[in-house]
Amino acid sequence: MTDAAPIMNGPANGSLATRNSNDAVSKGLKRRYAAERRFKAYGILAIAFAMGMLGLLFTTIVSKAIPAFTQTMINLEITLYPQDIDPAGTRERQTLSSANYRKVIRQAYYDLFPDVTSRRDRRELFDMISPGAVYEIRDMVMANPNLIGERVTVQMPMSDDIDQLNKGQIRKDSPETERRVKDKQIAWFERLENRGLVETVFNTTFFTAGDSREPELAGIFGAAMGSLFTMLVTLLVSFPLAVASAIYLEEFAPVNKWTQTIEVNINNLAAVPSIVFGLLGLAVFINFFGMPRSAPVVGGLVLALMTLPTIIIAARSALKSVPPSIREAAYGLGASPLQVITHHVLPLAMPGILTGTIIGMAQALGETAPLLMIGMVAFIVDVPHGALDPATVLPVQIYLWADSPERAFVERTSAAICVLLGFLVIMNVGAVFLRKRFERKW
């Protein structure tokens, strides 16, 4: 009986072990599925968090940038008295350029407020108009001297503080000691509004002017032209050198320690901080060769050095992706190695090379640190007309405006960031288009 018991309990123990084993497997599966669901949830949460932060960043920048695209203007009737502008009646450009237009504006403006008589009040009243109004009148008269002696209506910008007041950035109900606009100026501005002389228009100055100490006169055109010349120099220097280097290393260079060392250094150079390239440009191009500071040509050379490794790596990958059968077929037809590369391999690899080049150029467009080292942080009002003219670039312009104390520069900083992001998006979209348009699958 004692021996029969295990025989009788055998199937029961076996089924129990099988059931326990199945339960263990089932629990293990549940744990793995639960872990997989948690992993997916963590990934979705991470993506949602990143997208939320990105959306918050863009929302903040765009909301702050929108006011910069409008400008508060005053429509003022001005009499261009000949005795104030051209007493001799010669109509010479030097005379018209140096005329006292400030006096002309002041006379017309004070006529709107006959009750303001004290010198201090008149000074505060005139501070409501931008200093750029003088240049508006001067340019108008120099463009058409026949206006002298006429009474014309001129639209001129108001000061940045009044502009901020009109946009609601400065609260009227806040204590006078906590804002830059006095109660008297608010009352005068409301009188101008009631007369229908104040108007909010699209801020064309932001897109057509260079930098200025006055926020209402500051624009990004000078920085955009500086970026354009800098990118042209960068492209002209880096693209041929990078493509030639990639072709030699990938197609002609022997495999030895020297080429391996060069390849390792190229890969390492792609990860070097950009400010190191700025120090290199400062030492070599400015201190050794004596090239001009704050010039797009120097900035372009520095950015070309920084972009070279990126384009070389992308070009080598594009050349490597061309199937060997293309080369073998060309060699079979009697083509020389140079003909194989220039007639067959390079055209097929060019979409990948262009994509890598555009991505490298987009990275260079957003760089600031190397350009600060070569003096492109200087305050430059004029719009550059060539690569040798003093200029700044968009990232540096943003850096300068962000450091300015005036409240109006905050919105212009955000607007310039939007413009820079627009350029970067266009360049990346161009890279995607080139890849999709010319991509070939083997």
Side-chain angles (χ1 to χ4, degrees):
M1 293 297 289
T2 55
D3 294 334
I7 297 174
M8 292 177 63
N9 294 334
N13 291 339
S15 62
L16 180 61
T18 304
R19 193 164 52 248
N20 291 337
S21 176
N22 291 337
D23 291 343
V25 171
S26 177
K27 289 179 181 177
L29 282 175
K30 288 181 179 178
R31 284 197 300 272
R32 289 201 295 271
Y33 288 151
E36 184 180 347
R37 286 194 294 273
R38 285 197 301 273
F39 183 76
K40 288 182 178 178
Y42 293 153
I44 293 172
L45 284 175
I47 293 174
F49 180 77
M51 296 299 294
M53 290 296 103
L54 189 62
L56 179 63
L57 174 65
F58 276 106
T59 303
T60 304
I61 292 175
V62 172
S63 61
K64 287 185 178 180
I66 288 176
F69 298 116
T70 58
Q71 179 69 39
T72 304
M73 310 289 282
I74 178 174
N75 296 313
L76 193 61
E77 287 190 359
I78 294 177
T79 303
L80 302 171
Y81 295 107
Q83 60 270 24
D84 294 330
I85 300 175
D86 187 17
T90 58
R91 299 294 192 269
E92 293 180 353
R93 293 187 62 82
Q94 180 62 33
T95 304
L96 299 181
S97 176
S98 59
N100 190 358
Y101 296 103
R102 185 181 176 88
K103 178 183 177 183
V104 175
I105 298 173
R106 209 160 40 204
Q107 289 174 345
Y109 190 48
Y110 289 162
D111 289 343
L112 298 175
F113 300 91
D115 54 318
V116 180
T117 54
S118 70
R119 176 176 296 182
R120 181 175 180 178
D121 287 348
R122 285 196 163 196
R123 186 173 61 250
E124 292 176 350
L125 177 63
F126 194 69
D127 287 342
M128 295 172 62
I129 296 182
S130 169
V134 174
Y135 306 110
E136 296 273 348
I137 305 294
R138 184 197 64 183
D139 295 341
M140 185 183 67
V141 171
M142 293 187 69
N144 185 12
N146 293 328
L147 292 176
I148 298 175
E150 301 290 333
R151 186 172 180 81
V152 296
T153 300
V154 183
Q155 192 175 65
M156 55 187 68
M158 304 201 75
S159 68
D160 60 314
D161 291 333
I162 299 300
D163 183 53
Q164 294 294 297
L165 177 70
N166 187 39
K167 293 175 180 175
Q169 305 293 344
I170 296 178
R171 295 175 59 88
K172 295 180 181 178
D173 54 356
S174 59
E176 185 178 11
T177 54
E178 297 179 3
R179 49 178 153 80
R180 292 169 57 91
V181 182
K182 297 184 177 179
D183 290 338
K184 290 183 293 186
Q185 292 176 315
I186 292 177
W188 293 331
F189 179 70
E190 290 175 346
R191 288 170 62 180
L192 291 174
E193 281 186 313
N194 294 332
R195 293 181 184 180
L197 299 177
V198 177
E199 190 175 357
T200 301
V201 300
F202 182 72
N203 188 8
T204 56
T205 304
F206 181 74
F207 297 97
T208 59
D211 197 8
S212 174
R213 297 291 187 197
E214 306 296 334
E216 69 276 10
L217 304 178
I220 60 166
F221 188 58
M225 292 301 294
S227 292
L228 175 65
F229 289 125
T230 303
M231 289 297 104
L232 281 177
V233 173
T234 303
L235 180 65
L236 292 176
V237 173
S238 63
F239 184 74
L241 285 177
V243 173
S245 302
I247 290 175
Y248 176 76
L249 290 173
E250 192 64 33
E251 304 290 339
F252 297 104
V255 180
N256 53 34
K257 290 185 178 178
W258 285 107
T259 55
Q260 291 175 352
T261 304
I262 292 173
E263 291 175 4
V264 169
N265 280 297
I266 288 174
N267 294 330
N268 289 334
L269 281 174
V272 169
S274 58
I275 196 167
V276 176
F277 290 98
L279 291 170
L280 177 66
L282 176 65
V284 175
F285 298 125
I286 294 179
N287 292 341
F288 185 76
F289 289 108
M291 298 180 74
R293 296 175 67 91
S294 306
V297 64
V298 181
L301 290 173
V302 172
L303 293 180
L305 293 177
M306 193 194 71
T307 312
L308 265 174
T310 304
I311 302 179
I312 290 175
I313 294 172
R316 291 193 65 188
S317 299
L319 292 170
K320 196 179 296 182
S321 65
V322 177
S325 58
I326 301 294
R327 298 175 176 83
E328 293 168 0
Y331 283 127
L333 293 175
S336 65
L338 185 61
Q339 288 174 326
V340 171
I341 297 300
T342 56
H343 295 178
H344 302 281
V345 177
L346 188 58
L348 293 174
M350 192 53 72
I353 296 175
L354 290 178
T355 302
T357 303
I358 293 175
I359 292 174
M361 295 295 292
Q363 180 189 0
L365 178 63
E367 282 294 339
T368 306
L371 302 179
L372 297 180
M373 301 303 299
I374 60 171
M376 295 197 79
V377 70
F379 174 71
I380 297 170
V381 178
D382 298 329
V383 177
H385 296 90
L388 295 175
D389 293 341
T392 185
V393 291
L394 281 172
V396 178
Q397 188 68 78
I398 293 170
Y399 171 78
L400 289 171
W401 284 354
D403 199 38
S404 299
E406 287 84 356
R407 176 67 179 77
F409 273 122
V410 174
E411 58 190 41
R412 278 157 179 79
T413 301
S414 300
I417 291 174
C418 289
V419 173
L420 179 60
L421 289 177
F423 279 118
L424 294 175
V425 169
I426 290 173
M427 295 180 75
N428 282 283
V429 169
V432 173
F433 173 77
L434 286 175
R435 187 171 65 245
K436 295 292 183 184
R437 177 69 177 81
F438 299 104
E439 186 178 34
R440 291 191 180 186
K441 295 182 179 179
W442 310 98

